[in-house]
Amino acid sequence: MAETPLLDDVVVRSSVDFKGLPAVRSKSGGWKSATLIIGVEMAEVFAYYGIKSNLVSYLTGPLAQSTATAAANVNAWSGVTSFSPLLCSVFADSYLGRNRTIIVTTLLNILGLGFLSLSTALHSSNYSDCQSDVDNMACSPPQVQIIFFFFSLYLVALAQGNKPCLQAFGADQFDEEDEKECKAKGSFFNWWSFGVALSILVGLWVLSYIQENLSWELGFGIPCIVMCFALIVFLIGSMTYRFPIRNGERNPFVRIGRVFVRAARNWRIAPSIISIDEEARQILPYEDVHSSRFLDKATLEPNGPKDIVCSVGDIEDAKSILRLLPISFTCLPYAIVSSQTSTLFNKQGVTMDRYITTNFQIPAAALQSLSFASTVLFIPLYDRVLVPIARAITKRPLGISMLQRIGTGIFLCTIAMLIAGCIERKRLATAFEYGLVDSPNATVPMSVWWIAPQYLVLGIADVLTLIGLQEFFYDQVPSDFKSMGLALFYCIIGSGSFLSSFLISMIEKATSGRGRESWFANNLNRAHLDYFYWLLAGLVAFSLVFYVNFAKSYAYNGRICCLKLYSITCHGNK
């Protein structure tokens, strides 16, 4: 009895070390392990964005594809990348575990990057001989080489599915029952995103320069070397990691899926029958029994109330997943806005004066680095200054709640799009003033730094909303669904590109024809991106109204980190 408190202080519950023994707090986990995992993600992001940022140039150059074909191929590849986390999270949460899934997908990534470098090396000698040919199709490699290139490319896309596994595994290194580690866990998602943004900046500038000025095989080969080094670091760090103890009794997807199936079968049963057994089923005080109450029917067989099929814990886990859906849907307009930084914002920048000196002008594609630079600068300020101030005022471990943080970012997103619309209106007025309306290739005498505020504000909004969503999805899903929760986050953000394409296509059809220029005319000086930006601002503001309504009524699942350490109850906490 006397040794129990000491053991509680030394041993981390529900975690083991690499030998399968109970994890000792002082020798495992914490920042020393999380930093290694963040480093692996930084290497992966460096490799991925180093390829993605210039992929169109390679497809239209050495592979001799048309612009439309290349754009379609990049969009398809990005779409597979966005939804691959769902596949990997299923294997991680149900079969392999997060650690093994990370190792397998990292090996797959290395293989794909190595094949990419090999495919470019095979074609580089032939391409150098025909670069000057007028007919670009003469530079097209044999069909076998093209198939090999895209096979390699999609191996890399599938390997990106380990992002939620890496992030969840990094968060697993902190113990929610320890006050110090609990605070550190709240900072983990901030510094994770800091490392990601920093790697994207380096990848955008360094690898794109190497690919355009040195060689493509080197530009694709360096990411492969970096990923090999990252895998070695990750494996060495295994001696310090904490591995969550998995419940091997039931597949979590089968367990939760059975709840929805049973509830659907029993949908005709009167709610009064369920109410009779509620006390017997010992529903916890913090549970929102009125939300998704139809799932309670999963405890009953169609023939009577006494044949228990699904446990109360299974039903509450199913409810916690269902409660995420309204928050997810209201964040989709934000995802649509996020996709504009690499598309329409760039088109604005191309038409403006991008010269810093008389001999150097900023590449249009590099403008999106402003958003990541804003993220890199704001995260330390938020984590080290704003959170402690908010913590002192609200007495909450995170300063402000996760939903408050997300909502603040959505509000800033609205402001960013309003600013973007106003700046675009000024650009159009400047083009009209100088008689450049019918000169689409002319440079509008307006500094490109005018559009910097919209990038910077969106970068700050990303720190609040995107990082807040990552923490929210990790925290609010059942314990054996952590990878799946973060995979859902990546799918929401990835859906923004598809929804943006659909919205642009609809507006293009609605605003063109009968002698009218559409909002997205090829001549940007006759287009109306300002209208589109203001429309997006309206959509985000509209979604914010619904978001606030859902957030006010949202009942946390009661596992919010550190609440009991601060003597804050979970009952009705918003």
Side-chain angles (χ1 to χ4, degrees), residues 13 72 74 83 94 172 195 277 350 358 373 499 565:
R13 297 180 183 180
V74 172
F83 287 94
S94 301
D172 290 339
D277 286 350
V350 168
T358 55
L499 292 175
L565 298 174

Side-chain angles (χ1 to χ4, degrees), residues 41 44 79-109 154-169 246 251-253 480-488 490-491:
E41 175 62 9
E44 185 176 273
V80 173
T81 302
S82 300
F83 287 94
S84 61
L86 283 176
L87 178 63
C88 287
S89 62
V90 171
F91 284 96
D93 289 339
S94 301
Y95 303 107
L96 296 178
R98 287 190 269 276
N99 181 56
R100 293 189 183 94
T101 302
I102 292 169
I103 294 174
V104 170
T105 52
T106 303
L107 287 172
L108 188 65
N109 200 2
Y154 277 92
L155 281 182
V156 175
L158 290 175
Q160 299 307 304
N162 74 344
K163 290 182 182 295
C165 302
L166 266 173
Q167 196 168 11
F169 191 58
R246 298 180 61 208
N251 185 301
F253 293 92
D480 47 3
F481 273 86
K482 298 299 185 183
S483 299
M484 175 58 70
L486 288 169
L488 291 175
Y490 286 107
C491 287

Side-chain angles (χ1 to χ4, degrees), residues 448-463:
V448 74
W449 296 116
W450 274 93
I451 64 174
Q454 61 204 57
Y455 280 105
L456 298 177
V457 175
L458 273 180
I460 295 174
D462 286 348
V463 173

